[in-house]
Amino acid sequence: MRLYPPTTASLDRLAAFLRQGEVVAIPTETVYGLAANALDEAACRQIFALKGRPLIDPLIVHVRDLAHAEELAQLSPQARKLAEAFWPGPLTLLGLRRPGLIPDLVTAGLPTVALRAPAHPLARDLLDRVRIPLAAPSANRFGGVSPTLPEHVASSLGAAVPHILDGGPCECGVESTIIDVRDSGKPGLLRPGAIPADALEAVLGKPLERVSGEDQISAPGQLKRHYSPRARLQVTERLLTSSDSSTAIVHFQRPAGDVGLHLFWLTEDGSHEVAARELYRLLHRLDEQGYAEVCIETPPAGPMQETLIDRLQRAAAKDS
Ligand code: TXA
Ligand code: MG
């Protein structure tokens, strides 16, 4: 495993590796992704193997922009409207795949492909250099906590991942919002994410239907248990103080007064954006520190509440 500093020389080399069908971990504004040429089935097969990801779980394909997305898939007028408003950025849209381009492996045989134009300058630079779409799921073992630092990629995937581009900490810290707006009548929210649903609803001019459970396309990204740390996680309305050194207590906001041992928080001042950015980093850290149990406060109302509660509930779920 090698960590590459974000230099022109690194970007040139990594672009060449990607064009040759190798897998490279790259920073995006949401989380680190494990990228490969989305047009090359053998390259993408390595992603599944490295992550231990079941082949029924489709990958997100990263593109430069809307025009690039439309080369690969047909987008509805509503999807185009959302792309124009939020790309580049943490929004993933489903399009109807054009024949003969994205292999079945990438979409798990679905007629649709999930597309996103990332905003991270290094991801954009690589996409400009390679001039191919990049399939990239989060760069962690299947079911684990997504990486928001290059160190998380290395600790989750180990030596199996040959190249990691170091982009420092991810700005959003949670994955993209996934929207299905193929059927112009009923836009669906498949996964809450870094862009709050109400910002998307404002552009669409209609509410998003929460698609979950059985209604959902079988895709383990939406499995009940996912994003899980090693520690047992409990999400509660009322936190107690920890008397026991194997339990970490996580407040949403820094509590007033003296703070004791084993006490943590996601944000100093209650900012939802900061809480989202810090959540996975803290879960990784608490695992490293060896806590067996983590009790975390239910996030209060605010822009990222739906996304944070979704991730915490999945992380806390006992099984799929
Ligand atoms: O922010 C993100 O979206 C990150 C960065 C790297 O871009 N990627 C990410 O990928 O979170 P991943 O694989 O961890 O989650 C992607 C999820 C899949 O688990 C699946 O549920 C959904 O996207 N997905 C992909 N293609 C789909 C499709 N055609 N229909 C429905 N859901 C799809
Ligand atoms: Mg993932």
PDB file of all heavy atoms in Angstrom, residues 28 30-34 51 53 57-60 62 92 94 107 110 112-114 116 136-138 174-176 178 190-191 217 219-222 226, ligand 1:
ATOM      1  N   THR A  28     -13.098  12.097  -1.986  1.00  0.00           N
ATOM      2  CA  THR A  28     -14.184  12.896  -2.561  1.00  0.00           C
ATOM      3  C   THR A  28     -14.655  13.815  -1.427  1.00  0.00           C
ATOM      4  O   THR A  28     -14.191  13.670  -0.288  1.00  0.00           O
ATOM      5  CB  THR A  28     -15.380  12.055  -3.080  1.00  0.00           C
ATOM      6  OG1 THR A  28     -16.234  11.723  -1.987  1.00  0.00           O
ATOM      7  CG2 THR A  28     -14.927  10.797  -3.821  1.00  0.00           C
ATOM      8  N   THR A  30     -17.366  13.714   0.061  1.00  0.00           N
ATOM      9  CA  THR A  30     -18.199  12.988   1.036  1.00  0.00           C
ATOM     10  C   THR A  30     -17.332  12.058   1.871  1.00  0.00           C
ATOM     11  O   THR A  30     -17.129  12.276   3.060  1.00  0.00           O
ATOM     12  CB  THR A  30     -19.294  12.189   0.312  1.00  0.00           C
ATOM     13  OG1 THR A  30     -18.697  11.284  -0.614  1.00  0.00           O
ATOM     14  CG2 THR A  30     -20.261  13.105  -0.404  1.00  0.00           C
ATOM     15  N   VAL A  31     -16.842  10.981   1.248  1.00  0.00           N
ATOM     16  CA  VAL A  31     -15.966   9.995   1.902  1.00  0.00           C
ATOM     17  C   VAL A  31     -14.949   9.549   0.851  1.00  0.00           C
ATOM     18  O   VAL A  31     -15.097   9.878  -0.324  1.00  0.00           O
ATOM     19  CB  VAL A  31     -16.779   8.769   2.414  1.00  0.00           C
ATOM     20  CG1 VAL A  31     -17.846   9.192   3.433  1.00  0.00           C
ATOM     21  CG2 VAL A  31     -17.431   7.993   1.271  1.00  0.00           C
ATOM     22  N   TYR A  32     -13.924   8.800   1.277  1.00  0.00           N
ATOM     23  CA  TYR A  32     -12.976   8.257   0.296  1.00  0.00           C
ATOM     24  C   TYR A  32     -13.658   7.160  -0.518  1.00  0.00           C
ATOM     25  O   TYR A  32     -14.470   6.390   0.011  1.00  0.00           O
ATOM     26  CB  TYR A  32     -11.723   7.700   0.993  1.00  0.00           C
ATOM     27  CG  TYR A  32     -10.702   8.785   1.260  1.00  0.00           C
ATOM     28  CD1 TYR A  32     -10.920   9.723   2.266  1.00  0.00           C
ATOM     29  CD2 TYR A  32      -9.548   8.896   0.487  1.00  0.00           C
ATOM     30  CE1 TYR A  32     -10.006  10.747   2.487  1.00  0.00           C
ATOM     31  CE2 TYR A  32      -8.623   9.916   0.705  1.00  0.00           C
ATOM     32  CZ  TYR A  32      -8.858  10.835   1.697  1.00  0.00           C
ATOM     33  OH  TYR A  32      -7.955  11.846   1.904  1.00  0.00           O
ATOM     34  N   GLY A  33     -13.337   7.118  -1.818  1.00  0.00           N
ATOM     35  CA  GLY A  33     -13.911   6.109  -2.702  1.00  0.00           C
ATOM     36  C   GLY A  33     -12.827   5.175  -3.210  1.00  0.00           C
ATOM     37  O   GLY A  33     -11.650   5.541  -3.297  1.00  0.00           O
ATOM     38  N   LEU A  34     -13.246   3.935  -3.534  1.00  0.00           N
ATOM     39  CA  LEU A  34     -12.319   2.960  -4.109  1.00  0.00           C
ATOM     40  C   LEU A  34     -12.632   2.910  -5.599  1.00  0.00           C
ATOM     41  O   LEU A  34     -13.609   2.294  -6.007  1.00  0.00           O
ATOM     42  CB  LEU A  34     -12.544   1.602  -3.443  1.00  0.00           C
ATOM     43  CG  LEU A  34     -11.472   0.544  -3.629  1.00  0.00           C
ATOM     44  CD1 LEU A  34     -10.125   1.018  -3.092  1.00  0.00           C
ATOM     45  CD2 LEU A  34     -11.882  -0.741  -2.915  1.00  0.00           C
ATOM     46  N   LYS A  51     -13.296  -5.084  -1.271  1.00  0.00           N
ATOM     47  CA  LYS A  51     -14.215  -4.659  -0.207  1.00  0.00           C
ATOM     48  C   LYS A  51     -14.928  -5.826   0.460  1.00  0.00           C
ATOM     49  O   LYS A  51     -15.562  -5.639   1.502  1.00  0.00           O
ATOM     50  CB  LYS A  51     -15.307  -3.750  -0.801  1.00  0.00           C
ATOM     51  CG  LYS A  51     -14.930  -2.300  -0.951  1.00  0.00           C
ATOM     52  CD  LYS A  51     -16.143  -1.490  -1.412  1.00  0.00           C
ATOM     53  CE  LYS A  51     -17.287  -1.486  -0.418  1.00  0.00           C
ATOM     54  NZ  LYS A  51     -17.412  -0.309   0.425  1.00  0.00           N
ATOM     55  N   ARG A  53     -17.473  -7.093  -1.042  1.00  0.00           N
ATOM     56  CA  ARG A  53     -18.821  -6.590  -1.309  1.00  0.00           C
ATOM     57  C   ARG A  53     -19.594  -7.588  -2.161  1.00  0.00           C
ATOM     58  O   ARG A  53     -19.079  -8.081  -3.157  1.00  0.00           O
ATOM     59  CB  ARG A  53     -18.697  -5.267  -2.061  1.00  0.00           C
ATOM     60  CG  ARG A  53     -19.994  -4.538  -2.371  1.00  0.00           C
ATOM     61  CD  ARG A  53     -19.627  -3.277  -3.143  1.00  0.00           C
ATOM     62  NE  ARG A  53     -20.732  -2.468  -3.567  1.00  0.00           N
ATOM     63  CZ  ARG A  53     -21.079  -1.300  -3.003  1.00  0.00           C
ATOM     64  NH1 ARG A  53     -20.412  -0.856  -1.971  1.00  0.00           N
ATOM     65  NH2 ARG A  53     -22.065  -0.587  -3.478  1.00  0.00           N
ATOM     66  N   ASP A  57     -24.787  -5.629  -4.954  1.00  0.00           N
ATOM     67  CA  ASP A  57     -24.793  -4.240  -4.490  1.00  0.00           C
ATOM     68  C   ASP A  57     -24.134  -3.341  -5.541  1.00  0.00           C
ATOM     69  O   ASP A  57     -22.915  -3.331  -5.674  1.00  0.00           O
ATOM     70  CB  ASP A  57     -24.031  -4.164  -3.159  1.00  0.00           C
ATOM     71  CG  ASP A  57     -24.216  -2.830  -2.461  1.00  0.00           C
ATOM     72  OD1 ASP A  57     -24.971  -1.988  -2.970  1.00  0.00           O
ATOM     73  OD2 ASP A  57     -23.600  -2.640  -1.395  1.00  0.00           O
ATOM     74  N   PRO A  58     -24.934  -2.585  -6.297  1.00  0.00           N
ATOM     75  CA  PRO A  58     -24.374  -1.806  -7.411  1.00  0.00           C
ATOM     76  C   PRO A  58     -23.477  -0.659  -6.968  1.00  0.00           C
ATOM     77  O   PRO A  58     -23.579  -0.171  -5.846  1.00  0.00           O
ATOM     78  CB  PRO A  58     -25.624  -1.267  -8.118  1.00  0.00           C
ATOM     79  CG  PRO A  58     -26.689  -1.257  -7.076  1.00  0.00           C
ATOM     80  CD  PRO A  58     -26.390  -2.393  -6.146  1.00  0.00           C
ATOM     81  N   LEU A  59     -22.598  -0.227  -7.877  1.00  0.00           N
ATOM     82  CA  LEU A  59     -21.634   0.843  -7.578  1.00  0.00           C
ATOM     83  C   LEU A  59     -22.118   2.181  -8.126  1.00  0.00           C
ATOM     84  O   LEU A  59     -22.847   2.228  -9.121  1.00  0.00           O
ATOM     85  CB  LEU A  59     -20.285   0.517  -8.236  1.00  0.00           C
ATOM     86  CG  LEU A  59     -19.656  -0.837  -7.917  1.00  0.00           C
ATOM     87  CD1 LEU A  59     -18.353  -1.006  -8.705  1.00  0.00           C
ATOM     88  CD2 LEU A  59     -19.403  -0.970  -6.425  1.00  0.00           C
ATOM     89  N   ILE A  60     -21.662   3.257  -7.508  1.00  0.00           N
ATOM     90  CA  ILE A  60     -21.921   4.597  -8.046  1.00  0.00           C
ATOM     91  C   ILE A  60     -20.837   4.910  -9.078  1.00  0.00           C
ATOM     92  O   ILE A  60     -19.657   4.638  -8.848  1.00  0.00           O
ATOM     93  CB  ILE A  60     -21.910   5.650  -6.911  1.00  0.00           C
ATOM     94  CG1 ILE A  60     -23.098   5.420  -5.974  1.00  0.00           C
ATOM     95  CG2 ILE A  60     -21.939   7.070  -7.484  1.00  0.00           C
ATOM     96  CD1 ILE A  60     -23.135   6.345  -4.757  1.00  0.00           C
ATOM     97  N   HIS A  62     -18.807   7.756 -11.098  1.00  0.00           N
ATOM     98  CA  HIS A  62     -18.455   9.176 -10.977  1.00  0.00           C
ATOM     99  C   HIS A  62     -18.091   9.738 -12.348  1.00  0.00           C
ATOM    100  O   HIS A  62     -17.314   9.130 -13.085  1.00  0.00           O
ATOM    101  CB  HIS A  62     -17.303   9.341  -9.986  1.00  0.00           C
ATOM    102  CG  HIS A  62     -17.675   8.890  -8.596  1.00  0.00           C
ATOM    103  ND1 HIS A  62     -17.861   7.564  -8.273  1.00  0.00           N
ATOM    104  CD2 HIS A  62     -17.928   9.598  -7.468  1.00  0.00           C
ATOM    105  CE1 HIS A  62     -18.220   7.480  -6.992  1.00  0.00           C
ATOM    106  NE2 HIS A  62     -18.261   8.697  -6.478  1.00  0.00           N
ATOM    107  N   THR A  92     -26.309  11.890  -5.892  1.00  0.00           N
ATOM    108  CA  THR A  92     -26.260  10.772  -6.828  1.00  0.00           C
ATOM    109  C   THR A  92     -27.643  10.593  -7.440  1.00  0.00           C
ATOM    110  O   THR A  92     -28.651  10.573  -6.727  1.00  0.00           O
ATOM    111  CB  THR A  92     -25.799   9.496  -6.099  1.00  0.00           C
ATOM    112  OG1 THR A  92     -24.473   9.708  -5.621  1.00  0.00           O
ATOM    113  CG2 THR A  92     -25.817   8.290  -7.026  1.00  0.00           C
ATOM    114  N   LEU A  94     -30.172   8.503 -10.355  1.00  0.00           N
ATOM    115  CA  LEU A  94     -30.309   7.304 -11.181  1.00  0.00           C
ATOM    116  C   LEU A  94     -30.671   7.706 -12.606  1.00  0.00           C
ATOM    117  O   LEU A  94     -31.517   8.567 -12.819  1.00  0.00           O
ATOM    118  CB  LEU A  94     -31.416   6.380 -10.653  1.00  0.00           C
ATOM    119  CG  LEU A  94     -31.232   5.715  -9.298  1.00  0.00           C
ATOM    120  CD1 LEU A  94     -32.173   4.523  -9.176  1.00  0.00           C
ATOM    121  CD2 LEU A  94     -29.811   5.292  -9.039  1.00  0.00           C
ATOM    122  N   THR A 107     -23.745  -2.307 -12.234  1.00  0.00           N
ATOM    123  CA  THR A 107     -25.105  -1.944 -11.819  1.00  0.00           C
ATOM    124  C   THR A 107     -25.836  -3.146 -11.213  1.00  0.00           C
ATOM    125  O   THR A 107     -27.041  -3.074 -11.002  1.00  0.00           O
ATOM    126  CB  THR A 107     -25.924  -1.411 -13.009  1.00  0.00           C
ATOM    127  OG1 THR A 107     -26.168  -2.501 -13.920  1.00  0.00           O
ATOM    128  CG2 THR A 107     -25.189  -0.307 -13.738  1.00  0.00           C
ATOM    129  N   LEU A 110     -28.989  -4.126 -12.909  1.00  0.00           N
ATOM    130  CA  LEU A 110     -30.147  -3.228 -12.957  1.00  0.00           C
ATOM    131  C   LEU A 110     -30.139  -2.434 -14.258  1.00  0.00           C
ATOM    132  O   LEU A 110     -29.078  -2.174 -14.830  1.00  0.00           O
ATOM    133  CB  LEU A 110     -30.108  -2.252 -11.775  1.00  0.00           C
ATOM    134  CG  LEU A 110     -30.280  -2.847 -10.380  1.00  0.00           C
ATOM    135  CD1 LEU A 110     -29.968  -1.802  -9.306  1.00  0.00           C
ATOM    136  CD2 LEU A 110     -31.716  -3.349 -10.207  1.00  0.00           C
ATOM    137  N   THR A 112     -30.736   0.567 -14.396  1.00  0.00           N
ATOM    138  CA  THR A 112     -30.348   1.939 -14.056  1.00  0.00           C
ATOM    139  C   THR A 112     -28.889   1.989 -13.619  1.00  0.00           C
ATOM    140  O   THR A 112     -28.324   0.988 -13.192  1.00  0.00           O
ATOM    141  CB  THR A 112     -31.187   2.442 -12.867  1.00  0.00           C
ATOM    142  OG1 THR A 112     -31.062   1.499 -11.803  1.00  0.00           O
ATOM    143  CG2 THR A 112     -32.644   2.593 -13.249  1.00  0.00           C
ATOM    144  N   VAL A 113     -28.310   3.172 -13.719  1.00  0.00           N
ATOM    145  CA  VAL A 113     -26.970   3.382 -13.166  1.00  0.00           C
ATOM    146  C   VAL A 113     -27.020   4.628 -12.274  1.00  0.00           C
ATOM    147  O   VAL A 113     -27.687   5.613 -12.603  1.00  0.00           O
ATOM    148  CB  VAL A 113     -25.892   3.498 -14.274  1.00  0.00           C
ATOM    149  CG1 VAL A 113     -26.222   4.585 -15.282  1.00  0.00           C
ATOM    150  CG2 VAL A 113     -24.503   3.738 -13.672  1.00  0.00           C
ATOM    151  N   ALA A 114     -26.331   4.549 -11.129  1.00  0.00           N
ATOM    152  CA  ALA A 114     -26.265   5.669 -10.195  1.00  0.00           C
ATOM    153  C   ALA A 114     -25.075   6.542 -10.587  1.00  0.00           C
ATOM    154  O   ALA A 114     -23.960   6.053 -10.704  1.00  0.00           O
ATOM    155  CB  ALA A 114     -26.120   5.153  -8.763  1.00  0.00           C
ATOM    156  N   ARG A 116     -22.816  10.340 -10.293  1.00  0.00           N
ATOM    157  CA  ARG A 116     -22.536  11.514  -9.462  1.00  0.00           C
ATOM    158  C   ARG A 116     -21.297  12.217  -9.992  1.00  0.00           C
ATOM    159  O   ARG A 116     -20.303  11.571 -10.339  1.00  0.00           O
ATOM    160  CB  ARG A 116     -22.351  11.027  -8.022  1.00  0.00           C
ATOM    161  CG  ARG A 116     -21.463  11.833  -7.133  1.00  0.00           C
ATOM    162  CD  ARG A 116     -21.693  11.430  -5.690  1.00  0.00           C
ATOM    163  NE  ARG A 116     -20.447  11.302  -4.932  1.00  0.00           N
ATOM    164  CZ  ARG A 116     -19.771  12.337  -4.444  1.00  0.00           C
ATOM    165  NH1 ARG A 116     -20.195  13.569  -4.635  1.00  0.00           N
ATOM    166  NH2 ARG A 116     -18.653  12.140  -3.764  1.00  0.00           N
ATOM    167  N   ALA A 136     -16.936   3.958  -8.043  1.00  0.00           N
ATOM    168  CA  ALA A 136     -16.286   4.059  -6.731  1.00  0.00           C
ATOM    169  C   ALA A 136     -17.294   3.962  -5.595  1.00  0.00           C
ATOM    170  O   ALA A 136     -18.069   4.885  -5.375  1.00  0.00           O
ATOM    171  CB  ALA A 136     -15.497   5.366  -6.610  1.00  0.00           C
ATOM    172  N   PRO A 137     -17.263   2.854  -4.866  1.00  0.00           N
ATOM    173  CA  PRO A 137     -17.989   2.789  -3.603  1.00  0.00           C
ATOM    174  C   PRO A 137     -17.106   3.367  -2.512  1.00  0.00           C
ATOM    175  O   PRO A 137     -15.941   3.677  -2.768  1.00  0.00           O
ATOM    176  CB  PRO A 137     -18.170   1.284  -3.398  1.00  0.00           C
ATOM    177  CG  PRO A 137     -16.941   0.691  -3.997  1.00  0.00           C
ATOM    178  CD  PRO A 137     -16.539   1.594  -5.144  1.00  0.00           C
ATOM    179  N   SER A 138     -17.636   3.503  -1.312  1.00  0.00           N
ATOM    180  CA  SER A 138     -16.798   3.957  -0.210  1.00  0.00           C
ATOM    181  C   SER A 138     -15.657   2.957   0.003  1.00  0.00           C
ATOM    182  O   SER A 138     -15.850   1.750  -0.157  1.00  0.00           O
ATOM    183  CB  SER A 138     -17.645   4.120   1.056  1.00  0.00           C
ATOM    184  OG  SER A 138     -18.370   2.942   1.311  1.00  0.00           O
ATOM    185  N   VAL A 174     -20.195  12.461   5.295  1.00  0.00           N
ATOM    186  CA  VAL A 174     -21.205  11.416   5.071  1.00  0.00           C
ATOM    187  C   VAL A 174     -21.424  11.295   3.562  1.00  0.00           C
ATOM    188  O   VAL A 174     -21.124  12.217   2.805  1.00  0.00           O
ATOM    189  CB  VAL A 174     -22.561  11.702   5.765  1.00  0.00           C
ATOM    190  CG1 VAL A 174     -22.442  11.561   7.259  1.00  0.00           C
ATOM    191  CG2 VAL A 174     -23.102  13.065   5.369  1.00  0.00           C
ATOM    192  N   GLU A 175     -21.971  10.158   3.137  1.00  0.00           N
ATOM    193  CA  GLU A 175     -22.102   9.873   1.712  1.00  0.00           C
ATOM    194  C   GLU A 175     -23.132  10.785   1.027  1.00  0.00           C
ATOM    195  O   GLU A 175     -23.941  11.437   1.670  1.00  0.00           O
ATOM    196  CB  GLU A 175     -22.531   8.407   1.511  1.00  0.00           C
ATOM    197  CG  GLU A 175     -21.552   7.392   2.041  1.00  0.00           C
ATOM    198  CD  GLU A 175     -21.679   7.150   3.540  1.00  0.00           C
ATOM    199  OE1 GLU A 175     -22.458   7.857   4.205  1.00  0.00           O
ATOM    200  OE2 GLU A 175     -20.997   6.240   4.041  1.00  0.00           O
ATOM    201  N   SER A 176     -23.106  10.710  -0.302  1.00  0.00           N
ATOM    202  CA  SER A 176     -24.023  11.509  -1.117  1.00  0.00           C
ATOM    203  C   SER A 176     -25.475  11.089  -0.882  1.00  0.00           C
ATOM    204  O   SER A 176     -25.765   9.967  -0.470  1.00  0.00           O
ATOM    205  CB  SER A 176     -23.675  11.325  -2.594  1.00  0.00           C
ATOM    206  OG  SER A 176     -23.828   9.968  -2.971  1.00  0.00           O
ATOM    207  N   ILE A 178     -28.899   9.918  -2.413  1.00  0.00           N
ATOM    208  CA  ILE A 178     -29.253   9.197  -3.650  1.00  0.00           C
ATOM    209  C   ILE A 178     -30.743   9.389  -3.957  1.00  0.00           C
ATOM    210  O   ILE A 178     -31.599   9.123  -3.108  1.00  0.00           O
ATOM    211  CB  ILE A 178     -28.945   7.687  -3.561  1.00  0.00           C
ATOM    212  CG1 ILE A 178     -27.487   7.456  -3.123  1.00  0.00           C
ATOM    213  CG2 ILE A 178     -29.209   7.009  -4.902  1.00  0.00           C
ATOM    214  CD1 ILE A 178     -27.085   5.983  -3.054  1.00  0.00           C
ATOM    215  N   LEU A 190     -33.641   7.569  -2.074  1.00  0.00           N
ATOM    216  CA  LEU A 190     -33.174   6.203  -1.808  1.00  0.00           C
ATOM    217  C   LEU A 190     -32.224   6.152  -0.621  1.00  0.00           C
ATOM    218  O   LEU A 190     -32.133   5.154   0.062  1.00  0.00           O
ATOM    219  CB  LEU A 190     -32.464   5.623  -3.028  1.00  0.00           C
ATOM    220  CG  LEU A 190     -33.279   5.459  -4.311  1.00  0.00           C
ATOM    221  CD1 LEU A 190     -32.477   4.702  -5.350  1.00  0.00           C
ATOM    222  CD2 LEU A 190     -34.584   4.734  -4.040  1.00  0.00           C
ATOM    223  N   ARG A 191     -31.457   7.225  -0.436  1.00  0.00           N
ATOM    224  CA  ARG A 191     -30.552   7.287   0.717  1.00  0.00           C
ATOM    225  C   ARG A 191     -30.400   8.749   1.101  1.00  0.00           C
ATOM    226  O   ARG A 191     -29.935   9.552   0.292  1.00  0.00           O
ATOM    227  CB  ARG A 191     -29.172   6.709   0.344  1.00  0.00           C
ATOM    228  CG  ARG A 191     -28.147   6.801   1.466  1.00  0.00           C
ATOM    229  CD  ARG A 191     -26.810   6.150   1.123  1.00  0.00           C
ATOM    230  NE  ARG A 191     -26.015   6.963   0.208  1.00  0.00           N
ATOM    231  CZ  ARG A 191     -24.820   6.613  -0.268  1.00  0.00           C
ATOM    232  NH1 ARG A 191     -24.298   5.444   0.060  1.00  0.00           N
ATOM    233  NH2 ARG A 191     -24.164   7.404  -1.090  1.00  0.00           N
ATOM    234  N   ILE A 217     -35.109  -1.073  -4.299  1.00  0.00           N
ATOM    235  CA  ILE A 217     -34.322  -1.943  -5.155  1.00  0.00           C
ATOM    236  C   ILE A 217     -33.350  -2.673  -4.231  1.00  0.00           C
ATOM    237  O   ILE A 217     -32.740  -2.048  -3.368  1.00  0.00           O
ATOM    238  CB  ILE A 217     -33.534  -1.098  -6.169  1.00  0.00           C
ATOM    239  CG1 ILE A 217     -34.498  -0.329  -7.040  1.00  0.00           C
ATOM    240  CG2 ILE A 217     -32.584  -1.958  -6.994  1.00  0.00           C
ATOM    241  CD1 ILE A 217     -33.922   0.862  -7.723  1.00  0.00           C
ATOM    242  N   ALA A 219     -30.510  -3.450  -2.683  1.00  0.00           N
ATOM    243  CA  ALA A 219     -29.172  -2.858  -2.707  1.00  0.00           C
ATOM    244  C   ALA A 219     -28.693  -2.735  -1.273  1.00  0.00           C
ATOM    245  O   ALA A 219     -29.207  -1.937  -0.517  1.00  0.00           O
ATOM    246  CB  ALA A 219     -29.209  -1.491  -3.377  1.00  0.00           C
ATOM    247  N   PRO A 220     -27.691  -3.528  -0.901  1.00  0.00           N
ATOM    248  CA  PRO A 220     -27.265  -3.570   0.489  1.00  0.00           C
ATOM    249  C   PRO A 220     -26.758  -2.251   1.061  1.00  0.00           C
ATOM    250  O   PRO A 220     -26.551  -2.166   2.255  1.00  0.00           O
ATOM    251  CB  PRO A 220     -26.162  -4.628   0.485  1.00  0.00           C
ATOM    252  CG  PRO A 220     -26.515  -5.502  -0.670  1.00  0.00           C
ATOM    253  CD  PRO A 220     -27.069  -4.580  -1.695  1.00  0.00           C
ATOM    254  N   GLY A 221     -26.531  -1.220   0.228  1.00  0.00           N
ATOM    255  CA  GLY A 221     -26.227   0.103   0.784  1.00  0.00           C
ATOM    256  C   GLY A 221     -27.367   0.533   1.679  1.00  0.00           C
ATOM    257  O   GLY A 221     -27.211   1.332   2.583  1.00  0.00           O
ATOM    258  N   GLN A 222     -28.536  -0.015   1.399  1.00  0.00           N
ATOM    259  CA  GLN A 222     -29.708   0.308   2.192  1.00  0.00           C
ATOM    260  C   GLN A 222     -30.031  -0.801   3.190  1.00  0.00           C
ATOM    261  O   GLN A 222     -31.106  -0.835   3.741  1.00  0.00           O
ATOM    262  CB  GLN A 222     -30.893   0.565   1.274  1.00  0.00           C
ATOM    263  CG  GLN A 222     -30.992   2.011   0.782  1.00  0.00           C
ATOM    264  CD  GLN A 222     -29.870   2.425  -0.147  1.00  0.00           C
ATOM    265  OE1 GLN A 222     -28.955   3.111   0.258  1.00  0.00           O
ATOM    266  NE2 GLN A 222     -29.944   1.999  -1.386  1.00  0.00           N
ATOM    267  N   HIS A 226     -25.367  -1.516   8.509  1.00  0.00           N
ATOM    268  CA  HIS A 226     -24.358  -0.997   7.576  1.00  0.00           C
ATOM    269  C   HIS A 226     -23.644   0.110   8.321  1.00  0.00           C
ATOM    270  O   HIS A 226     -24.100   0.534   9.375  1.00  0.00           O
ATOM    271  CB  HIS A 226     -25.084  -0.436   6.353  1.00  0.00           C
ATOM    272  CG  HIS A 226     -24.258  -0.484   5.097  1.00  0.00           C
ATOM    273  ND1 HIS A 226     -24.272  -1.561   4.261  1.00  0.00           N
ATOM    274  CD2 HIS A 226     -23.403   0.402   4.543  1.00  0.00           C
ATOM    275  CE1 HIS A 226     -23.453  -1.326   3.248  1.00  0.00           C
ATOM    276  NE2 HIS A 226     -22.912  -0.130   3.390  1.00  0.00           N
TER     277      HIS A 226
HETATM  278  O1  TXA B   1     -20.755   9.782  -1.400  1.00  0.00           O
HETATM  279  C1  TXA B   1     -20.847   8.711  -1.973  1.00  0.00           C
HETATM  280  O2  TXA B   1     -21.870   8.382  -2.577  1.00  0.00           O
HETATM  281  C2  TXA B   1     -19.629   7.768  -1.918  1.00  0.00           C
HETATM  282  C3  TXA B   1     -18.489   8.444  -2.671  1.00  0.00           C
HETATM  283  C4  TXA B   1     -17.278   7.569  -2.808  1.00  0.00           C
HETATM  284  O3  TXA B   1     -18.933   8.887  -3.926  1.00  0.00           O
HETATM  285  N1  TXA B   1     -19.956   6.512  -2.474  1.00  0.00           N
HETATM  286  C5  TXA B   1     -20.761   5.596  -1.848  1.00  0.00           C
HETATM  287  O4  TXA B   1     -20.844   4.382  -2.513  1.00  0.00           O
HETATM  288  O5  TXA B   1     -21.323   5.823  -0.805  1.00  0.00           O
HETATM  289  P1  TXA B   1     -21.389   3.061  -1.818  1.00  0.00           P
HETATM  290  O6  TXA B   1     -21.133   1.966  -2.760  1.00  0.00           O
HETATM  291  O7  TXA B   1     -20.801   2.919  -0.483  1.00  0.00           O
HETATM  292  O8  TXA B   1     -22.935   3.253  -1.786  1.00  0.00           O
HETATM  293  C6  TXA B   1     -23.590   3.290  -3.019  1.00  0.00           C
HETATM  294  C7  TXA B   1     -24.996   2.787  -2.906  1.00  0.00           C
HETATM  295  C8  TXA B   1     -25.137   1.282  -3.073  1.00  0.00           C
HETATM  296  O9  TXA B   1     -24.981   0.578  -1.898  1.00  0.00           O
HETATM  297  C9  TXA B   1     -26.535   1.148  -3.592  1.00  0.00           C
HETATM  298  O10 TXA B   1     -27.427   1.046  -2.540  1.00  0.00           O
HETATM  299  C10 TXA B   1     -26.769   2.468  -4.309  1.00  0.00           C
HETATM  300  O11 TXA B   1     -25.686   3.274  -4.048  1.00  0.00           O
HETATM  301  N2  TXA B   1     -26.901   2.257  -5.751  1.00  0.00           N
HETATM  302  C11 TXA B   1     -25.935   2.183  -6.682  1.00  0.00           C
HETATM  303  N3  TXA B   1     -26.447   1.965  -7.903  1.00  0.00           N
HETATM  304  C12 TXA B   1     -27.787   1.898  -7.740  1.00  0.00           C
HETATM  305  C13 TXA B   1     -28.885   1.696  -8.619  1.00  0.00           C
HETATM  306  N4  TXA B   1     -28.717   1.521  -9.918  1.00  0.00           N
HETATM  307  N5  TXA B   1     -30.128   1.688  -8.084  1.00  0.00           N
HETATM  308  C14 TXA B   1     -30.318   1.876  -6.747  1.00  0.00           C
HETATM  309  N6  TXA B   1     -29.322   2.089  -5.866  1.00  0.00           N
HETATM  310  C15 TXA B   1     -28.081   2.093  -6.350  1.00  0.00           C
END
